[in-house]
Amino acid sequence: MSDTATTPPTSKSAQTRQRILDAAAEVLSRKGYAGTRLGDVAAVAGVQAPAIYYYFGSRDELVEEVMWVGAHRVRLHVEEVLAAVPEGATYMDRMMVAVDAHLRFELQLSDYATASIRNAGHVPEQLRVRPAAEEALYSRLWRDLFVAAQQAGEIRADLDINVFRLLLLGAMNWVVEWWNPRTRSLDELVATAQAMVRHGAGQP
């Protein structure tokens, strides 16, 4: 997967920093926090390992940045996709779009998102503070969708939308641990997740 910055860095130093960050996201998404070594990151980035310390004070500082970028980009991606939904779409339609955008970004488009999701429960607590703030903003986006859908009568009035929302986000995030494209396509996975929301939360 490839997930570089939307606007490429202009200076050589900024480009090198971005390359290191991209490499760290790739390694962290594959090997996890415990298995990520600066030597592996350096090899992927095409730099000497000591050069990493010019841009990041420690391995943990680099990991924290990857985690924050992952959480930040998921939120921005889903926000952008929702902003492009035509006026007049139902809130349920918007939730279907959000499910699709989240899963495709997580599984196809972003090493950062995969690294952030996969390692959220494995990094030291001090590395979770900044990414967790982004995750809270993203969770609020989903909460607002569910509240609006419930107020519009598109989902059941008796549904505990906070519990359902947390279950949905947890299920979608956990997909990175078990999804195998050789056994089921991403389209099938997205359709199943959408059906879970439509039939689990929607009006009978």
Side-chain angles (χ1 to χ4, degrees), residues 73-147:
R73 290 186 181 177
V74 168
R75 178 173 65 85
L76 289 187
H77 177 71
V78 175
E79 285 179 346
E80 289 169 0
V81 171
L82 285 172
V85 174
E87 287 187 27
T90 67
Y91 290 108
M92 182 61 77
D93 288 340
R94 293 172 64 80
M95 283 194 282
M96 297 300 100
V97 168
V99 167
D100 182 279
H102 177 106
L103 288 171
R104 292 186 192 280
F105 193 76
E106 172 188 343
L107 297 173
Q108 270 191 329
L109 301 176
S110 178
D111 284 327
Y112 286 89
T114 303
S116 180
I117 291 167
R118 179 166 282 165
N119 292 282
H122 302 287
V123 299
E125 188 60 33
Q126 66 269 20
L127 304 187
R128 290 282 304 131
V129 176
R130 205 159 61 105
E134 272 295 317
E135 291 161 13
L137 291 174
Y138 185 53
S139 184
R140 194 176 305 155
L141 178 155
W142 282 91
R143 182 199 64 193
D144 291 346
L145 268 179
F146 272 97
V147 168

Side-chain angles (χ1 to χ4, degrees), residues 12-97:
K12 183 177 180 181
S13 176
Q15 290 173 352
T16 301
R17 185 184 187 278
Q18 186 63 52
R19 201 163 69 245
I20 291 170
L21 202 57
D22 291 344
E26 179 185 332
V27 174
L28 192 62
S29 69
R30 288 189 290 106
K31 297 191 172 185
Y33 176 73
T36 295
R37 302 285 180 268
L38 289 184
D40 296 330
V41 174
V44 173
V47 301
Q48 296 297 315
I52 293 176
Y53 289 105
Y54 177 80
Y55 301 95
F56 300 95
S58 66
R59 169 179 172 269
D60 278 357
E61 183 179 317
L62 176 59
V63 167
E64 184 201 36
E65 184 71 8
V66 170
M67 299 281 288
W68 180 84
V69 170
H72 181 65
R73 290 186 181 177
V74 168
R75 178 173 65 85
L76 289 187
H77 177 71
V78 175
E79 285 179 346
E80 289 169 0
V81 171
L82 285 172
V85 174
E87 287 187 27
T90 67
Y91 290 108
M92 182 61 77
D93 288 340
R94 293 172 64 80
M95 283 194 282
M96 297 300 100
V97 168

Side-chain angles (χ1 to χ4, degrees), residues 60 70 104 145 172 177-178 181 188 199:
D60 278 357
R104 292 186 192 280
L145 268 179
M172 291 197 298
E177 299 296 344
W178 59 261
E188 291 172 323
H199 299 300

